[in-house]
Amino acid sequence: MKVHFLGGAGTVTGSKTLIETSSISILIDCGLFQGLKELRELNRLPLSYDPKEIDFVLLTHGHLDHCGWLPKLVQDGFKGKIFCTSPTKEIARLILMDSAKIQEEEAEKANNEHYSKHNPAIPLYTIEDVQQVLPLFKVIEKDVVVALSDSVSFSFFYASHILGACSIALDIEGKKLVFSGDIGQDDDILLFPAVKPKNADYIFLESTYGNRVHPNNNPLFDLEIIINNTYNKGGNLVIPSFAVERVQVMMYLIWKLKKENKIPDIPYIIDTPMGIDVLELFLENRKWHKLNYEECSEMCKTFTLISEFKDTIEVIYDKQPKVVIAASGMITGGRVLSYLERYITKPENTVALVGYQAEGTRGRKLLEGDKTIKMYGKIYEVEATILSIEGLSAHGDQKDLINWLTELENKPQSIFLVHGENEASEGLKNEIETQLQLHCIIPKRRQIIEI
Ligand SMILES: [Zn+2]
């Protein structure tokens, strides 16, 4: 059989791995390329394998870099089923709708302001295209073996990372292939540790933090200090946050501090419509995370949830100190901009970054100490305190990734290191080869390897 590395090879986005035998073609994940322009432009190119020839898609989780190219795949002729877990289906729906909306808005803006070299600018896909994808989703329980043919079956198993995320064990014509998907930290705040594979002939392992060990700080303690310091100055704390998972983690930490009377009795506000939708999913899918029903409902009572923009305005002009969690996490857009327009120029306020800040984003610039920030075409002086809370990553570090391989009862023929920048994959390859004596390959995008 052949493995086609169509995306997420040599980079962390655009995850797409295709397994082709003489009788079946299966695509694992169908992600959007993100970040640098040369990567994003790949989203416009046709797949090097005809989507009409793909029988099934198996989806590890609902992040955009794993499901965000599905509307294009369907547009280009894919008609099969897309298997995933129930929370993944819901998260993918929210993320794809949001992605289509952003693409439609960007194309419209480019056409109105005539800045696109494409005339007219056309969105990569629209909400209508996403609606063609949704009926193809087929929900599967984790740990249940699903037969795709006489000689092909698969199952999902728990991967931590985000709600609903799973790794995949694929038995295909006598070979056992395991795809890690993205793997969370073993001591994640809300999620259980990832289930480790017991045997595999080939493993496809993510390597986002393959050359890094996460810092050993205590995010709860860091947050307590930041909230109290900002309150003592009479200021507001703004936490830009990813809507999926991170908002819910921040809510949990704040609720814990509040319960122990370690932080003041002030408004704690969640202002992200998608974050609130994901919170609903947390409440509905309790077997997927550590919180029980009482904790969930008690946690929610600590917060004011906002979805209407008029309420955002009201909160911004309310003078009392407060804590606001708003998307987006890297300050690339979303409600958080409205808060920062008003708050970032005042020294009593604090902005706490709680996630990865990619190159070129406002979040990264603030983190690197830029003294001004541009929002909606206007320049603002940065007078607020800018801080970062480490240790909250949804990805495991080198230690977690190696640990994930330690329960194998056989020796796989090869481990393909995917979903990582080159140095990260190289770092992980060295460690796996020295510590576990397992053979690793770092595939390149568009490489086809026979196994
Ligand atoms: Zn992910």
Side-chain angles (χ1 to χ4, degrees):
M1 65 189 76
K2 286 182 186 151
V3 184
H4 301 245
F5 294 92
L6 302 172
T11 172
V12 292
T13 64
S15 278
K16 290 179 207 81
T17 308
L18 184 106
I19 311 298
E20 178 195 18
T21 75
S22 56
S23 61
I24 198 166
S25 291
I26 301 170
L27 182 64
I28 313 292
D29 286 337
C30 187
L32 197 73
F33 287 104
Q34 296 168 275
L36 298 173
K37 197 166 172 234
E38 54 263 42
L39 280 173
R40 282 185 282 122
E41 282 173 349
L42 295 175
N43 293 322
R44 299 261 174 194
L45 301 179
L47 209 60
S48 58
Y49 192 93
D50 185 358
K52 291 187 205 76
E53 303 295 320
I54 299 173
D55 299 295
F56 301 102
V57 174
L58 311 183
L59 209 57
T60 60
H61 66 288
H63 271 151
L64 196 62
D65 60 326
H66 290 256
C67 74
W69 208 76
L70 282 170
K72 278 292 286 174
L73 191 81
V74 172
Q75 227 181 49
D76 293 351
F78 171 76
K79 290 195 166 52
K81 288 192 179 99
I82 302 164
F83 291 100
C84 61
T85 65
S86 167
T88 294
K89 179 186 165 184
E90 295 307 318
I91 290 174
R93 183 176 61 80
L94 292 172
I95 287 212
L96 289 174
M97 283 297 195
D98 187 59
S99 168
K101 194 170 139 239
I102 292 169
Q103 312 222 27
E104 285 183 14
E105 284 168 0
E106 277 176 1
E108 196 188 323
K109 194 162 180 278
N111 288 329
N112 290 341
E113 295 169 18
H114 308 286
Y115 62 68
S116 171
K117 58 180 190 298
H118 309 283
N119 197 10
I122 297 165
L124 183 65
Y125 51 79
T126 61
I127 287 176
E128 222 168 281
D129 294 320
V130 173
Q131 273 153 354
Q132 305 302 309
V133 176
L134 303 178
L136 304 181
F137 281 119
K138 175 107 179 82
V139 166
I140 299 294
E141 288 278 319
K142 67 178 166 62
D143 304 316
V144 169
V145 177
V146 179
L148 297 175
S149 76
D150 288 348
S151 56
V152 183
S153 64
F154 77 93
S155 62
F156 287 119
F157 60 101
Y158 195 85
S160 199
H161 186 56
I162 64 166
L163 195 75
C166 275
S167 304
I168 297 169
L170 176 66
D171 276 311
I172 179 161
E173 298 177 4
K175 292 192 168 74
K176 204 176 209 12
L177 276 48
V178 170
F179 300 84
S180 69
D182 289 355
I183 302 176
Q185 300 193 52
D186 269 344
D187 53 359
D188 189 272
I189 292 168
L190 293 184
L191 301 174
F192 304 110
V195 171
K196 284 126 190 117
K198 299 284 180 285
N199 64 72
D201 297 314
Y202 295 92
I203 292 182
F204 300 75
L205 176 60
E206 73 122 319
S207 53
T208 316
Y209 288 116
N211 59 345
R212 268 190 55 176
V213 174
H214 291 319
N216 203 8
N217 61 317
N218 178 350
L220 190 69
F221 181 68
D222 294 352
L223 185 64
E224 178 188 340
I225 305 281
I226 294 172
I227 292 176
N228 285 317
N229 284 353
T230 310
Y231 173 72
N232 291 338
K233 286 193 284 183
N236 300 291
L237 169 61
V238 179
I239 305 178
S241 171
F242 307 111
V244 178
E245 208 73 22
R246 198 58 44 89
V247 165
Q248 298 79 32
V249 169
M250 296 315 297
M251 287 177 75
Y252 174 76
L253 294 176
I254 288 173
W255 167 63
K256 252 187 114 175
L257 290 170
K258 190 85 197 307
K259 209 163 75 150
E260 292 166 18
N261 288 321
K262 287 184 170 162
I263 51 174
D265 210 1
I266 53 174
Y268 293 88
I269 291 152
I270 307 296
D271 189 348
T272 146
M274 206 210 286
I276 294 169
D277 288 339
V278 177
L279 181 65
E280 290 288 324
L281 294 178
F282 259 80
L283 304 181
E284 289 162 16
N285 291 281
R286 286 194 307 275
K287 70 173 185 193
W288 287 87
H289 58 80
K290 295 175 186 170
L291 296 182
N292 63 34
Y293 180 77
E294 287 70 35
E295 288 172 321
C296 277
S297 52
E298 217 192 294
M299 177 175 100
C300 289
K301 280 186 210 143
T302 312
F303 296 88
T304 308
L305 308 180
I306 291 185
S307 43
E308 300 291 326
F309 190 64
K310 65 172 178 36
D311 297 328
T312 303
I313 302 297
E314 210 167 285
V315 171
I316 288 173
Y317 287 94
D318 171 22
K319 286 203 172 62
Q320 64 172 321
K322 65 191 93 59
V323 175
V324 178
I325 302 176
S328 73
M330 299 190 284
I331 324 181
T332 49
R335 295 273 173 94
V336 72
L337 292 180
S338 307
Y339 290 93
L340 294 185
E341 277 185 299
R342 178 97 184 153
Y343 291 163
I344 203 151
T345 55
K346 307 220 166 66
E348 66 272 25
N349 297 327
T350 304
V351 179
L353 300 163
V354 292
Y356 180 73
Q357 305 297 319
E359 220 170 314
T361 60
R362 293 188 188 90
R364 176 72 156 257
K365 287 179 183 153
L366 288 178
L367 197 60
E368 287 173 348
D370 276 22
K371 288 282 161 250
T372 58
I373 177 175
K374 196 172 171 190
M375 291 181 283
Y376 301 121
K378 254 181 91 180
I379 308 272
Y380 295 81
E381 300 287 327
V382 177
E383 295 291 339
T385 305
I386 311 295
L387 296 166
S388 147
I389 301 178
E390 302 283 327
L392 293 165
S393 179
H395 285 273
D397 62 6
Q398 186 183 71
K399 169 173 70 33
D400 295 312
L401 293 170
I402 300 235
N403 195 20
W404 192 76
L405 295 169
T406 52
E407 291 182 16
L408 284 167
E409 289 159 6
N410 73 327
K411 196 175 170 128
Q413 297 207 27
S414 291
I415 298 177
F416 296 103
L417 299 179
V418 294
H419 202 287
E421 303 292 342
N422 279 327
E423 312 89 84
S425 304
E426 286 289 350
L428 186 61
K429 181 177 192 284
N430 287 340
E431 282 305 305
I432 293 176
E433 291 183 340
T434 358
Q435 285 190 40
L436 306 175
Q437 283 84 46
L438 296 173
H439 175 242
C440 294
I441 296 173
I442 303 173
K444 292 191 169 51
R445 191 173 58 79
R446 297 196 72 169
Q447 195 173 351
I448 301 171
I449 297 181
E450 201 134 345
I451 58 170

